[in-house]
Amino acid sequence: MKLTRHLIILLGICLLPASFARAQESAAETPIIDFGSRFLPAVARQGMVVGPERLAAEIGLDMLRRGGNAVDAAVATGFALAVSYPRAGNLGGGGFMLVHLAEDNRQTLIDYRETAPAAATCDLFLNDEGEVDQQRAYFSHKSAGVPGTVAGLVLAQERYGTLPLSEVMAPAIALARDGFEISFALNQEIAARAERLALNAEARKLFLDAEGRVPEVGTVWQQPDLAQTLQQIAKQGRDGFYTGDVAERIVAEMQAGDGLISAADLAGYQAIEREPVRGRFRDFEVISTPPPSSGGIHILQILNILEGYDLQAMGHNSAAYIHHLAEAMKLAYADRSRYLADPDFEPVPVADLIDKAYAERQRALIKPGRATPSSEVAPGEVLVDASHDTTHYTVADRFGNVVSNTYTLNFSFGSHIAVPGTGMLLNNEMADFAANPGQPNPFGLVEGEANSIEGGKRPLSSMSPTMVFRDGKPWLATGSPGGSLIITSVLQTILNAMAFDMNIATAAAEPRVHHQWLPDKLVVEQGISPDTLELLRALGHNVDVAGRTLGRTQSIMLERGYLLGATDTRRPGGHVAGY
Ligand code: GLY
């Protein structure tokens, strides 16, 4: 018995009972998803795009329906999110794309992280007192790194896509040109940043109405300048952005705003294909981002430490489990402060950090009955960030290819500065460098000299598009926004699936915790029982029940020929598109 070809795909985790009835029939004795769970994934058979915004996910799905592959869909979604999800979808930012190529049975990672302009120096954000000037670091023209998104998406398309770039970009161009109705989620996203967006004349023009108000839900929003910029890229590829009219406008805006990005910086920008990092957790292979992201290394490091415990016996989100999880997180984030940086500028001991023997030594430091204060935790010898915004989407096609892509402007709406005539926001990714190495940044994360500012260097990231393989086949792909929260959100999502057999919707929905070594705070989402929190406090943890959520994953699990999608319900607007 088989599922109808045009299986119904629904918003988020809500699936029609009828679909489930058919899925249940088709799966006979062992259902592909646990029907006993409160959270259920959406199901499709041939192709799926899970992302933070509906229109862009549907555009990606349309590429799959036309016969395109997962890379075509990912590139189409990436350009479309620049139109429909401006808080993090972008042309002016950067990111990391992890690709599984079914035909070659190999994985590759496209690093399109921004670079520091050549003129950037290590004291760029320090004032006369030697302290970080937050305005300059986060919301000035100097906070923008050389954008990598266009180079990354075009490189992915050229090397691994199957449709012409112009075809893949056409829906994003139409969306910008013809406009679309402002959704509730977009209305809320703009409202949250309206005050700061209003400070920049071009951003105000783009995102607010003539009276400076947030556009109402249902207002048709057109972005003709952005349509023009996208058109240039569709025609000329990367040159349509990094040289010519768009580049000239970026440079002119830099000159007007005392920024650093030059024509040479833009022309010289290169996306880089890198080997992902790989490790094993029990029967699973976990593949993720290498430096200049810290994400993959620390996910593997924490998994290696936790592999030595019987997590199921502890019980999911029990005090014992959270205690060991938090202690492992502290050790990993301490290492992050010392060892992680752009590998093209600083040697990063990747193999040592993800070595099982190193994890064993680190595990020995964890005391089962006492939280180690962060002041007693130091980077090992091998040897934040706040909730910055970013976004993630995941794609799977009928050929077996999978794409897991995380990209960002850093903060929601980046630097909140738009480049006149382009419809495009500038990132504030330079804030991901250690502006004052060795000193806690305004969010408490301490970073070392290795991540200090230097022309041409990529700032350290936490972005972690990740895939888990079982029996040599892709089984789960996910990723999340959230600055330093990305690593722990992705980690817990895949751990919930690997160690606790949760279906992907449940794995994404369960309450999360986060510890980043400094500040010495165990942040927990609502939903962990007060009894458990009391036990954790008794162990010595400084428990902080977050008034906000941690991360927002977009995931696909591949089970016995089915695609199971879960968009995290922690924020509005996410969508699972499939067929
Ligand atoms: N800007 C967030 C990150 O790269 O981790």
Side-chain angles (χ1 to χ4, degrees):
M1 211 175 298
K2 90 183 187 188
L3 272 177
T4 168
R5 292 243 137 193
H6 301 287
L7 194 60
I8 299 160
I9 299 306
L10 297 169
L11 272 173
I13 58 170
C14 307
L15 240 169
L16 284 175
S19 304
F20 280 114
R22 287 200 297 277
Q24 196 162 24
E25 273 172 44
S26 70
E29 293 134 42
T30 48
I32 52 161
I33 47 180
D34 171 12
F35 291 95
S37 174
R38 288 176 296 128
F39 305 101
L40 295 173
V43 183
R45 203 69 205 241
Q46 304 213 44
M48 184 175 269
V49 182
V50 185
E53 194 282 323
R54 181 178 63 85
L55 296 167
E58 292 291 349
I59 282 171
L61 184 70
D62 187 45
M63 291 300 139
L64 297 181
R65 283 184 190 277
R66 285 189 210 187
N69 68 9
V71 175
D72 294 312
V75 173
T77 302
F79 281 118
L81 284 170
V83 181
S84 63
Y85 191 68
R87 70 182 289 180
N90 68 81
L91 300 182
F96 297 90
M97 180 184 285
L98 179 60
V99 185
H100 168 68
L101 298 155
E103 202 174 308
D104 305 341
N105 192 23
R106 74 176 174 97
Q107 299 77 41
T108 187
L109 186 285
I110 298 171
D111 163 5
Y112 57 99
R113 182 72 163 162
E114 300 90 330
T115 54
T121 52
C122 63
D123 56 355
L124 186 64
F125 298 131
L126 298 183
N127 61 21
D128 292 343
E129 284 74 50
E131 289 156 1
V132 177
D133 177 337
Q134 291 188 25
Q135 164 64 27
R136 204 187 319 154
Y138 301 160
F139 302 115
S140 78
H141 290 70
K142 288 193 170 73
S143 64
V146 182
T149 293
V150 173
L153 295 183
V154 170
L155 184 143
Q157 177 63 29
E158 281 171 354
R159 292 200 185 154
Y160 302 115
T162 57
L163 301 174
L165 183 65
S166 56
E167 186 174 342
V168 167
M169 291 188 67
I173 296 168
L175 196 63
R177 184 192 58 224
D178 304 339
F180 61 94
E181 287 188 7
I182 298 263
S183 65
F184 169 74
L186 181 53
N187 166 276
Q188 297 292 297
E189 287 152 12
I190 296 173
R193 295 293 175 146
E195 219 171 291
R196 191 166 282 282
L197 287 167
L199 299 178
N200 176 258
E202 190 67 15
R204 181 186 158 108
K205 202 174 93 186
L206 286 177
F207 296 107
L208 305 175
D209 69 14
E211 280 75 45
R213 290 174 310 216
V214 178
E216 299 279 353
V217 175
T219 311
V220 174
W221 186 38
Q222 291 170 303
Q223 301 171 78
D225 289 346
L226 184 54
Q228 182 62 27
T229 301
L230 288 163
Q231 188 71 56
Q232 302 272 21
I233 299 165
K235 267 198 206 137
Q236 298 168 37
R238 58 159 284 148
D239 286 352
F241 183 86
Y242 291 95
T243 60
D245 179 59
V246 176
E248 279 165 24
R249 287 178 190 273
I250 296 171
V251 173
E253 177 61 15
M254 285 291 144
Q255 284 163 358
D258 200 23
L260 298 182
I261 298 175
S262 67
D265 287 327
L266 288 167
Y269 181 84
Q270 294 296 336
I272 301 173
E273 218 173 328
R274 298 185 191 271
E275 251 310 292
V277 291
R278 295 162 194 277
R280 291 204 75 83
F281 177 80
R282 300 184 182 153
D283 292 338
F284 303 92
E285 185 181 17
V286 178
I287 300 181
S288 191
T289 36
S293 176
S294 56
I297 287 179
H298 297 314
I299 287 170
L300 292 176
Q301 196 180 354
I302 297 169
L303 289 174
N304 285 344
I305 294 171
L306 294 178
E307 201 175 34
Y309 300 108
D310 186 346
L311 303 176
Q312 281 216 334
M314 287 178 187
H316 183 256
N317 277 356
S318 64
Y321 173 68
I322 294 175
H323 169 69
H324 287 87
L325 190 56
E327 295 299 285
M329 287 174 181
K330 272 185 220 173
L331 291 165
Y333 278 83
D335 281 352
R336 183 185 190 277
S337 74
R338 174 155 160 196
Y339 295 112
L340 270 291
D342 181 346
D344 297 336
F345 281 70
E346 304 291 337
V348 181
V350 179
D352 295 319
L353 287 167
I354 62 174
D355 184 52
K356 298 272 185 197
Y358 177 55
E360 222 168 283
R361 295 202 301 278
Q362 290 217 305
R363 195 181 307 124
L365 301 173
I366 296 178
K367 300 172 192 73
R370 177 181 167 254
T372 307
S374 292
S375 55
E376 293 173 22
V377 176
E381 297 296 333
V382 279
L383 328 86
V384 194
D385 308 52
S387 180
H388 295 171
D389 217 284
T390 291
T391 194
H392 181 85
Y393 57 91
T394 302
V395 183
D397 68 22
R398 67 177 191 273
F399 312 110
N401 305 300
V402 184
V403 174
S404 183
N405 187 71
T406 312
Y407 75 155
T408 189
L409 290 165
N410 197 14
F411 287 11
S412 190
F413 297 93
S415 63
H416 297 66
I417 298 170
V419 179
T422 67
M424 182 192 100
L425 284 165
L426 293 169
N427 68 78
N428 60 350
E429 218 69 63
M430 293 290 287
D432 273 355
F433 280 115
N436 200 358
Q439 296 301 312
N441 71 14
F443 309 103
L445 261 186
V446 174
E447 290 178 340
E449 288 289 346
N451 189 34
S452 61
I453 304 172
E454 209 175 322
K457 191 172 175 181
R458 284 158 148 87
L460 180 59
S461 173
S462 296
M463 286 188 270
S464 313
T466 295
M467 293 183 195
V468 178
F469 285 65
R470 194 162 72 173
D471 301 327
K473 297 207 175 67
W475 178 64
L476 200 173
T478 191
S480 175
S484 58
L485 303 169
I486 293 173
I487 299 172
T488 51
S489 300
V490 171
L491 169 81
Q492 286 167 90
T493 305
I494 63 173
L495 252 179
N496 289 347
M498 294 190 298
F500 295 98
D501 297 326
M502 291 181 196
N503 76 52
I504 186 57
T506 309
E510 284 294 320
R512 297 181 183 136
V513 305
H514 174 77
H515 203 305
Q516 61 180 45
W517 177 49
L518 294 173
D520 190 352
K521 211 162 58 168
L522 174 59
V523 185
V524 302
E525 281 185 326
Q526 287 173 6
I528 309 274
S529 92
D531 303 359
T532 305
L533 300 184
E534 208 165 300
L535 289 169
L536 287 165
R537 288 192 180 103
L539 288 171
H541 290 282
N542 300 316
V543 178
D544 176 14
V545 182
R548 61 196 169 109
T549 51
L550 306 180
R552 181 198 192 185
T553 52
Q554 309 290 350
S555 318
I556 298 178
M557 187 176 259
L558 299 96
E559 280 270 3
R560 284 179 276 158
Y562 291 90
L563 302 170
L564 310 177
T567 179
D568 203 320
T569 51
R570 285 168 174 80
R571 295 187 200 169
H575 189 70
V576 180
Y579 76 118

